[in-house]
């Protein structure tokens, strides 16, 4: 691993791959997205400290079924999953508040926890530091090695030397562009060793009303989460966005089988930054695409496992078939 490395406490180490990203790289990426037609901002930029907290609020909303559904599946099958192999390293991509890993760790005996290293991988420094501290206090003996990294750019750093359980929960895979999904899973497979397991949480296609409600909650938390991306961009790129000038939009796109989130301009605006080569105009009614959230079918799941050449050990669904947890094994 090449990231900037530091040891925070006996049981916590941190490697930072984001420090090496220059400010101009980030600003260029933002400028490119805002100059494109249609405009877009990468969903990676949702997760500053405020965005991570808003996402945690979303996970507790009555309309947002994915988190509680995936947790209930995990509760049911965690023992089976954790005892499938003797894992020494658990890696979690896009770990967030780490509340899902706790369900797996609860299924380990106290003696086993002492032999496990947990690697939360996330772009949100706040989320990684907070959860590392919480976890070592909650599970004495557990070693936590936080990785600050962008899994789209730094996947080669995939840590762990022993038998690995690699978790990618929350259907965060679905936030990738449709054509990136298979390539990403294939890339993970290339980095896996025989006996490693990939545990993948995927949100399933369902009644459009249920889907659209989950992204248009009554309290407006998802709208705040969506608009917060403009504050993050202001911070990172010195732009002059005023989120009051935008409206939250979230709808199901049946052709692409995904919820799309956008920000719609309520009036004509000029977007400027001292770091941009030119100012950008945005017309009234024009949208900025901020997120895709793919909803998978059973066929998609089989295609995914096949394309990655991973063998399916288990597909665990909830009763309503809202969410699916896949246990995929690398057999060579
Ligand atoms: N796994 C948790 C959190 C999901 S929210 C759950 O299931 O509830 C998505 C998480 O992925 C956030 O914590 C966000 O910071 C992180 N994330 C988003 N894009 C990322 C990227 N490109 N690289 C690394 N982490 C990313
Ligand atoms: C993290 N990701 C899988 C969430 C999702 O459902 O796509 C992010 C989110 N966006 C709006 N609400 C939740």
């Amino acid at each position: 691993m090449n990231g900037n490395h530091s040891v925070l406490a006996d049981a916590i180490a941190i490697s930072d791959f984001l420090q090496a990203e220059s400010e101009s790289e980030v600003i260029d990426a933002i400028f490119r997205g805002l100059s494109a037609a249609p405009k877009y901002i990468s969903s990676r930029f949702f997760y500053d400290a405020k965005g991570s907290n808003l996402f945690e609020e979303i996970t507790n909303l009555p309309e947002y079924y994915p988190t509680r559904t995936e947790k209930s599946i995990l509760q049911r099958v965690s023992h089976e999953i954790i005892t499938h192999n003797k894992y020494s390293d658990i890696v979690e991509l896009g770990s967030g508040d780490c509340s899902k890993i706790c369900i797996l760790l609860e299924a380990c005996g106290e003696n086993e926890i002492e032999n496990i290293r947990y690697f939360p991988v996330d772009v949100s420094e706040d989320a990684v530091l907070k959860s590392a501290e919480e976890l070592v206090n909650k599970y004495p003996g557990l070693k936590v090695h936080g990785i600050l990294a962008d899994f789209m750019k730094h996947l080669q750093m995939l840590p762990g030397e022993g038998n690995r359980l690699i978790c990618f929960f929350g259907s965060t895979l679905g936030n990738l562009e449709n054509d990136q999904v298979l390539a990403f899973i294939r890339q993970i497979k290339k980095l896996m060793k025989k006996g490693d397991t990939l545990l993948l949480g995927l949100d399933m296609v369902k009644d459009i009303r249920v889907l659209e409600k989950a992204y248009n909650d009554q309290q407006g938390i998802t709208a705040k989460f969506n608009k917060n991306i403009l504050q993050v961009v202001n911070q990172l790129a010195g732009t002059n966005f005023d989120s009051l000038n935008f409206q939250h939009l979230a709808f199901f796109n049946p052709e692409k089988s995904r919820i799309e989130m956008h920000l719609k301009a309520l009036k004509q605006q000029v977007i400027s930054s001292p770091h941009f080569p030119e100012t950008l105009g945005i017309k009234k009614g024009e949208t900025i695409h901020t997120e895709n959230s793919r909803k998978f079918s059973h066929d998609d799941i089989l295609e995914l496992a096949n394309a990655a050449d991973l063998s399916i050990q288990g597909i665990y669904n909830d009763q309503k078939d809202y969410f699916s947890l896949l246990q995929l094994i690398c057999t060579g």
Side-chain angles (χ1 to χ4, degrees):
M1 233 184 296
N2 293 317
N4 189 322
H5 190 80
S6 55
V7 177
L8 293 188
D10 273 355
I12 304 179
I14 301 289
S15 295
D16 187 349
F17 290 80
L18 297 175
Q19 243 181 30
E21 253 185 347
S22 66
E23 263 176 43
S24 64
E25 242 180 286
V26 172
I27 292 168
D28 281 356
I30 292 171
F31 180 74
R32 223 177 307 123
L34 293 174
S35 316
K39 297 188 190 309
Y40 68 89
I41 300 173
S42 162
S43 60
R44 166 193 155 168
F45 296 119
F46 277 129
Y47 300 96
D48 68 340
K50 188 173 171 198
S52 296
N53 286 335
L54 283 167
F55 178 72
E56 252 184 87
E57 271 192 66
I58 289 175
T59 62
N60 292 317
L61 291 169
E63 297 95 334
Y64 195 74
Y65 61 85
T67 308
R68 62 172 176 278
T69 310
E70 188 178 26
K71 282 185 176 172
S72 76
I73 301 171
L74 265 172
Q75 243 127 20
R76 204 179 71 225
V77 300
S78 56
H79 184 76
E80 202 173 326
I81 287 167
I82 206 79
T83 53
H84 176 78
N85 202 343
K86 208 170 163 49
Y87 298 109
S88 57
D89 297 311
I90 303 181
V91 182
E92 184 178 0
L93 299 175
S95 45
D97 70 359
C98 295
S99 58
K100 289 174 184 165
I101 219 64
C102 290
I103 303 176
L104 280 174
L105 293 173
E106 294 292 335
C108 297
E110 266 177 43
N111 296 341
E112 286 152 61
I113 283 201
E114 290 186 359
N115 299 319
I116 292 178
R117 260 185 319 173
Y118 170 59
F119 295 91
V121 179
D122 207 290
V123 274
S124 168
E125 179 173 8
D126 220 63
V128 170
L129 297 183
K130 208 165 110 190
S131 48
E133 220 166 284
E134 270 174 34
L135 287 170
V136 295
N137 289 330
K138 195 166 174 189
Y139 302 103
L142 178 73
K143 291 172 278 308
V144 178
H145 187 156
I147 315 279
L148 304 176
D150 178 342
F151 51 62
M152 299 303 290
K153 280 194 196 166
H154 309 120
L155 197 60
Q156 290 300 328
M157 60 57 206
L158 203 75
E161 288 103 41
N163 280 336
R164 287 183 297 190
L165 176 62
I166 301 161
C167 304
F168 200 15
F169 294 134
S171 205
T172 301
L173 181 69
N175 292 141
L176 271 55
E177 282 291 338
N178 285 0
D179 60 1
Q180 292 176 327
V181 166
L182 291 182
F184 189 75
I185 291 296
R186 283 196 187 111
Q187 224 183 321
I188 293 183
K189 160 67 176 36
K190 274 198 197 148
L191 298 166
M192 288 169 81
K193 298 183 303 292
K194 189 172 176 183
D196 284 353
T197 297
L198 175 63
L199 196 56
L200 193 56
L202 298 176
D203 197 13
M204 305 295 283
V205 181
K206 57 187 69 64
D207 188 323
I208 291 184
R209 287 165 299 184
V210 176
L211 286 172
E212 291 194 336
K213 261 192 184 172
Y215 293 81
N216 291 285
D217 64 278
Q218 275 199 332
Q219 291 175 57
I221 309 294
T222 311
K224 274 194 199 163
F225 173 74
N226 196 8
K227 289 180 189 176
N228 181 61
I229 206 167
L230 298 177
Q231 307 297 339
V232 178
V233 167
N234 284 348
Q235 281 287 322
L236 293 171
T239 42
N240 59 334
F241 280 112
D242 181 347
S243 54
L244 290 175
N245 293 335
F246 289 86
Q247 183 193 347
H248 163 72
L249 285 186
F251 55 85
F252 187 65
N253 175 338
E255 270 112 68
K256 299 202 166 162
S257 191
R258 68 190 191 191
I259 288 282
E260 292 184 8
M261 291 211 310
H262 299 258
L263 289 164
K264 182 174 160 189
L266 295 170
K267 60 177 199 182
Q268 183 167 333
Q269 294 158 63
V270 174
I271 305 160
S272 64
S273 156
H275 309 294
F276 282 180
E278 61 193 20
T279 56
L280 299 167
I282 180 157
K283 297 191 200 83
K284 184 178 175 181
E286 196 178 341
T287 54
I288 305 175
H289 190 167
T290 51
E291 190 181 59
N292 296 311
S293 194
R294 165 93 171 265
K295 306 303 163 190
F296 296 85
S297 68
H298 289 284
D299 285 349
D300 292 334
I301 287 179
L302 297 180
E303 190 193 350
L304 222 131
N306 254 327
D309 192 24
L310 288 165
S311 101
I312 301 176
Q313 175 68 25
I315 301 182
Y316 310 101
N317 292 1
D318 59 297
Q319 274 186 348
K320 286 188 182 163
D321 216 11
Y322 271 15
F323 205 92
S324 200
L325 189 66
L326 271 69
Q327 185 185 10
L328 303 170
I329 315 286
C330 179
T331 51

